[in-house]
Amino acid sequence: MASRRVDVFFYGLFMDSDLLRSRGAEPCSVTIASVQGFALRIGRRAAMVPQAGSSVHGLIISVTLEEVDRLYAEPSLKDYRPEAVLAELATGGKVAALCYNLAQAPSPSDHDPAYAARLREVAAKAGLPRDY
């Protein structure tokens, strides 16, 4: 029996399909999207923090439950927890998706310039708005 696929809203380095494949996932149905009511905060990793009037850009990517479990089982990602979001698709419409987020957002003083630079590259490759 084939594994069930779920839509996941990725807003960090996992927006890179090549990275997902290198971690054993087979991403499909990649669509640009955004989640309203949150802002992006970048520390050593990316996190979404509630903020009225803001939005976080990312990608909806379909992966299997097993694949997403493996992705977030990595020790450096152990603090991310799944939550449900309603993502607005760039092509129109909305979709319910899983989103992995930190329970405790990075502090404003927690910053990794190398991570931020890599994230800018991934966002540009994905075709996200320049203000991402």
Side-chain angles (χ1 to χ4, degrees):
M1 182 164 108
S3 294
R4 183 172 156 226
R5 290 192 160 279
V6 293
D7 289 329
V8 180
F9 178 73
F10 290 110
Y11 56 92
L13 296 184
F14 283 157
M15 291 187 292
D16 184 345
S17 292
D18 293 332
L19 176 61
L20 292 177
R21 284 186 199 92
S22 76
R23 303 274 174 97
E26 288 299 325
C28 65
S29 302
V30 178
T31 307
I32 294 174
S34 62
V35 173
Q36 304 302 309
F38 288 89
L40 183 67
R41 182 166 305 157
I42 301 172
R44 289 186 181 89
R45 300 269 186 194
M48 291 177 23
V49 295
Q51 185 172 319
S54 294
S55 62
V56 174
H57 298 283
L59 298 177
I60 294 290
I61 301 176
S62 177
V63 294
T64 68
L65 290 170
E66 291 82 5
E67 289 168 345
V68 79
D69 285 345
R70 275 196 314 270
L71 290 169
Y72 286 96
E74 182 179 306
S76 67
L77 302 174
K78 67 179 174 42
D79 293 331
Y80 281 82
R81 299 290 180 255
E83 57 186 72
V85 296
L86 186 61
E88 296 181 10
L89 304 175
T91 56
K94 296 181 181 184
V95 65
L98 281 179
C99 176
Y100 283 73
N101 201 8
L102 289 171
Q104 182 69 35
S107 72
S109 63
D110 183 18
H111 186 67
D112 181 347
Y115 178 86
R118 178 69 179 120
L119 184 55
R120 278 191 295 276
E121 291 172 7
V122 169
K125 178 181 174 185
L128 298 185
R130 291 184 55 94
D131 64 354
Y132 181 78

